[in-house]
Amino acid sequence: MDTTIPGKQREPSPVAKVHGQADDTIEIRLWVEEHEWLYGVHTSAKNTSPTFRCPDLISACVEIVLAETGAAETIFTYLGTELVLRQIHTPRRAGSLWKAQRDLLQDLQRSPLNRHPNPKFQLDELTTTCVALCRRSDPSGELVLQQCRINLADRLARSKGIHRSN
């Protein structure tokens, strides 16, 4: 139940200010196989203190894959040789992604590798590919959880205007 007084905006809670507001994430779709793997990473005993959720896990996968040399070629090779062979109506599940990583994927989506005469892949396919590539390289999900920690520290430092050295 929303108890907001008409005409007045609610002030976000202090927790929301520290950890990012809801509008800092966007909803995306993941193919079911990759979503189930991420759910396994989310519920694993290794995901504790803090317990990372969907936006953190998906965003970590995007960061990991895009940090690799030749990331765009790797992603589009996977899209064109593996993901494209899946059934077109493969179920998708809702998830969310931090806007910073969405922006990275949108840059990739706008790249020459995704323009005519090449096939045009959508954001859900690019996101799913990043998760699939992480799953392939580290089935345990430990690297994803480590990247979640790095992303959280970076996000909080940026919100406070602090320069973090890696």
Side-chain angles (χ1 to χ4, degrees), residues 65-66 70-84 104-116 118-123 125-127 129-130 133:
V65 172
L66 291 178
E73 291 79 16
T74 301
I75 290 168
F76 283 102
T77 297
Y78 183 89
L79 284 163
T81 61
E82 296 189 45
L83 197 69
V84 75
L104 294 172
L105 286 176
Q106 280 187 325
D107 289 344
L108 188 62
Q109 188 178 21
R110 294 176 181 134
S111 77
L113 292 170
N114 205 32
R115 287 193 209 133
H116 182 76
N118 301 314
K120 182 179 178 183
F121 292 101
Q122 301 302 320
L123 193 60
E125 294 161 325
L126 293 166
T127 308
T129 294
C130 289
L133 291 170

Side-chain angles (χ1 to χ4, degrees), residues 115-150:
R115 287 193 209 133
H116 182 76
N118 301 314
K120 182 179 178 183
F121 292 101
Q122 301 302 320
L123 193 60
D124 71 323
E125 294 161 325
L126 293 166
T127 308
T128 296
T129 294
C130 289
V131 175
L133 291 170
C134 281
R135 178 183 178 199
R136 177 186 285 168
S137 67
D138 178 31
S140 73
E142 288 182 43
L143 293 175
V144 172
L145 293 171
Q146 181 58 33
Q147 187 65 48
C148 285
R149 293 176 186 287
I150 293 167

Side-chain angles (χ1 to χ4, degrees), residues 3 12 26 48 51 56 58 64 66 79 82-83 87 99 104 129 133 138 141-142 154 156-157 162:
T3 58
I26 60 141
T48 57
T51 301
D56 301 303
I58 295 171
I64 289 168
L66 291 178
L79 284 163
E82 296 189 45
L83 197 69
Q87 293 297 318
K99 284 186 177 180
L104 294 172
T129 294
L133 291 170
D138 178 31
E142 288 182 43
D154 287 346
L156 291 176
I162 300 169

Side-chain angles (χ1 to χ4, degrees), residues 51-64:
T51 301
F52 293 104
R53 295 188 173 103
C54 187
D56 301 303
L57 297 169
I58 295 171
S59 295
C61 290
V62 170
E63 287 281 345
I64 289 168

